[in-house]
C-alpha cells in the first residue's frame, strides 16, 4: 500500500507545489488506485507517476473549494480515452453531482464509463471484502469531510508443512484452514486453524483529512492510524490567522496526531509563502510535539507497511 502526493500546496499552484490531490495505491493483486481530492492539473501530475488512469476505481473529494476539485471534470473526461477504464465511484459533499452535471452540460462532455456518485453522510460510505471507508465532517469555511480507510484483517500464512505433519491431506481442507476455519480429518481428528496458521495480519489504517481547524471529529478519523494526512497551512505561531481562514498550523496537526495515537503524520496543504528551504523548520516545529511528523511534497510516495513486514510488491513495474 502506497500513498503518492500529487499536490501539496494551498489555494493556488506554485512552481514548487501543485494544489491538493493524492493517490492511494492498493496492494497486489488488486493493484487499483483511489484518488483523494483533484485540484487543477491533477491529471498532469498523474502522468509523472506510474499510476494508470484506467486503474483509478474511486475518487474521494473532501470539499468543493476549487483547489480541491477544479481538476475533476478534466480527469473524468480524459479517463474515457484510456482502454480498460471500468466504472468509477465518486464520493463527495452535497453539490458535487450538480457541479459535474453543470460542467459536463456546458462543455458537451460525455463519459464512456459508468460514474457512480455518492453524496456524503456520516459513517461508513463504502465497504468491500478488503476495505471499508468512513467519512466524518470537519470544520472549515464550507462543508468539508475527512476519510478513514481501514484495511480488513487478513488470515495469517498457512504452515503447510505443519499441516501435513498433522495428517491434513492436500485439497479443500488446507484451503479451509488457510481461511481461518477449523476442520475434521477423515480419521475423525480435529485440527484448528490456529494450530497451523500464523496470527492474523492486522489491517492498515490511513486517515486523510480535508481543510479544517482543530475539531472533535479528527480524533475519530485518525485514531490509531498508521498514516495520518493533515493540512498544515501555516506555521505554529499563526494559529489566529489559520483559524480566520478555516485552517490548521503545523503544531495543531502534530497535536492531533499525538492525541489520536497515529503512527506517522504527513503534513500537506502548505501556504505558498513557504518554500522548500522552509520545510525543515516546519517539520522540526511539528516534531516538538510528534516525533514522527513529515512534510509531504509533490510526487513523494510513502509506503504504508504492517509492523515487521516489507512493502507490498509493485503494481506498476
Amino acid at each position: 500500500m502506497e500513498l503518492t502526493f500529487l499536490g501539496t500546496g494551498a489555494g493556488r499552484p506554485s512552481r514548487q507545489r501543485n494544489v491538493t490531490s493524492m493517490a492511494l495505491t492498493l496492494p497486489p493483486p488488486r493493484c487499483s488506485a483511489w484518488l483523494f481530492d483533484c485540484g487543477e492539473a491533477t491529471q498532469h501530475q498523474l502522468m509523472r507517476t506510474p499510476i494508470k488512469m484506467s486503474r483509478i476505481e474511486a475518487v474521494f473529494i473532501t470539499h468543493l473549494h476549487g483547489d480541491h476539485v477544479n481538476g475533476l471534470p478534466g480527469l473524468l473526461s480524459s479517463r474515457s480515452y484510456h482502454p480498460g477504464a471500468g466504472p468509477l465511484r465518486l464520493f463527495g459533499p452535497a453539490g458535487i453531482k450538480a457541479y459535474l452535471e453543470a460542467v459536463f452540460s456546458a462543455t458537451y462532455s460525455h463519459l464512456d464509463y459508468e460514474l457512480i456518485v455518492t453524496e456524503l453522510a456520516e459513517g461508513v460510505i463504502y465497504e468491500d471484502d478488503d476495505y471499508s471507508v468512513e467519512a466524518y465532517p470537519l470544520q472549515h469555511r464550507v462543508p468539508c469531510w475527512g476519510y478513514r480507510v481501514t484495511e480488513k484483517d487478513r488470515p495469517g500464512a498457512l504452515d503447510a508443512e505443519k499441516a501435513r505433519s498433522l495428517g491434513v491431506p492436500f485439497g479443500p481442507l488446507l484451503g479451509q484452514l488457510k481461511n481461518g476455519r477449523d476442520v475434521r480429518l477423515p480419521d475423525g481428528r480435529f485440527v484448528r486453524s490456529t494450530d497451523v496458521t500464523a496470527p492474523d495480519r492486522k489491517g492498515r489504517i490511513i486517515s486523510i483529512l480535508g481543510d479544517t481547524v482543530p475539531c472533535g471529529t479528527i480524533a475519530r478519523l485518525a485514531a490509531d492510524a498508521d498514516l495520518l494526512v493533515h493540512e498544515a497551512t501555516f506555521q505554529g505561531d499563526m494559529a489566529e490567522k489559520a483559524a480566520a481562514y478555516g485552517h490548521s498550523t503545523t503544531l495543531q496537526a502534530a497535536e492531533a496526531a499525538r492525541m489520536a495515537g497515529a503512527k506517522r503524520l504527513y503534513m500537506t496543504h502548505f501556504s505558498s509563502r513557504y518554500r522548500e528551504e522552509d520545510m525543515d523548520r516546519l517539520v522540526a516545529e511539528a516534531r516538538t510535539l510528534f516525533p514522527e511528523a513529515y512534510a509531504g511534497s509533490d510526487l513523494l510516495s510513502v509506503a504504508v507497511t504492517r509492523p515487521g513486514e516489507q512493502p507490498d510488491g509493485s503494481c506498476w513495474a
Side-chain angles (χ1 to χ4, degrees):
M1 189 179 288
E2 188 172 76
L3 185 71
T4 300
F5 291 94
L6 302 171
T8 54
R12 54 189 173 89
S14 69
R15 293 185 179 183
Q16 296 177 319
R17 296 179 186 272
N18 195 42
V19 286
T20 298
S21 183
M22 62 202 82
L24 180 66
T25 301
L26 305 181
R30 187 155 174 168
C31 282
S32 56
W34 290 356
L35 201 63
F36 291 82
D37 282 338
C38 191
E40 179 185 354
T42 291
Q43 65 174 311
H44 293 267
Q45 293 288 79
L46 277 168
M47 292 176 193
R48 302 171 66 190
T49 77
I51 299 170
K52 303 179 188 303
M53 184 86 77
S54 61
R55 299 302 298 166
I56 298 174
E57 65 177 23
V59 179
F60 301 84
I61 300 297
T62 62
H63 64 295
L64 297 182
H65 273 156
D67 59 321
H68 294 254
V69 78
N70 277 351
L72 183 60
L75 181 140
L76 295 178
S77 297
S78 294
R79 190 173 180 269
S80 289
Y81 295 95
H82 288 258
L88 185 143
R89 295 182 179 273
L90 171 65
F91 301 87
I96 185 114
K97 188 174 183 179
Y99 164 71
L100 288 175
E101 287 175 347
V103 173
F104 289 158
S105 175
T107 58
Y108 303 96
S109 299
H110 174 73
L111 305 183
D112 290 333
Y113 56 88
E114 183 183 10
L115 180 65
I116 305 161
V117 181
T118 300
E119 295 193 337
L120 296 173
E122 283 192 36
V124 177
I125 59 167
Y126 175 76
E127 187 167 17
D128 60 29
D129 291 341
D130 301 313
Y131 302 93
S132 67
V133 183
E134 300 168 76
Y136 296 99
L138 300 168
Q139 189 173 333
H140 189 44
R141 291 177 294 157
V142 300
C144 187
W145 296 76
Y147 295 100
R148 178 181 174 89
V149 179
T150 302
E151 180 184 37
K152 295 182 179 179
D153 295 349
R154 298 182 180 180
L158 174 70
D159 187 337
E161 184 175 341
K162 185 174 183 180
R164 287 196 297 271
S165 73
L166 293 174
V168 181
F170 285 105
L173 293 181
L174 278 176
Q176 292 176 34
L177 288 167
K178 182 178 180 180
N179 290 325
R181 295 169 56 189
D182 301 336
V183 301
R184 188 175 296 280
L185 302 182
D187 63 8
R189 289 183 297 120
F190 193 69
V191 177
R192 294 175 299 180
S193 173
T194 54
D195 293 335
V196 293
T197 57
D200 285 353
R201 300 166 68 204
K202 183 71 175 172
R204 292 161 283 194
I205 299 171
I206 297 92
S207 300
I208 298 174
L209 309 186
D211 295 358
T212 189
V213 298
C215 64
T217 51
I218 293 175
R220 187 174 189 177
L221 285 159
D224 301 318
D226 294 279
L227 178 62
L228 168 63
V229 179
H230 195 304
E231 69 126 297
T233 308
F234 298 105
Q235 63 193 48
D237 62 1
M238 298 182 69
E240 186 174 342
K241 185 177 184 67
Y245 287 93
H247 291 300
S248 295
T249 69
T250 53
L251 292 178
Q252 289 168 338
E255 178 66 5
R258 186 180 71 84
M259 293 297 293
K263 295 179 179 64
R264 278 189 296 171
L265 165 68
Y266 269 83
M267 299 178 291
T268 187
H269 202 266
F270 296 106
S271 167
S272 58
R273 72 179 60 208
Y274 303 113
R275 300 290 185 263
E276 286 306 307
E277 55 266 28
D278 298 313
M279 288 299 109
D280 286 347
R281 174 174 60 83
L282 297 180
V283 169
E285 183 175 64
R287 287 181 177 177
T288 63
L289 295 178
F290 188 75
E292 288 297 316
Y294 303 88
S297 60
D298 285 23
L299 305 181
L300 171 69
S301 291
V302 178
V304 187
T305 59
R306 297 181 183 89
E309 292 190 12
Q310 296 297 313
D312 301 295
S314 173
C315 286
W316 319 116

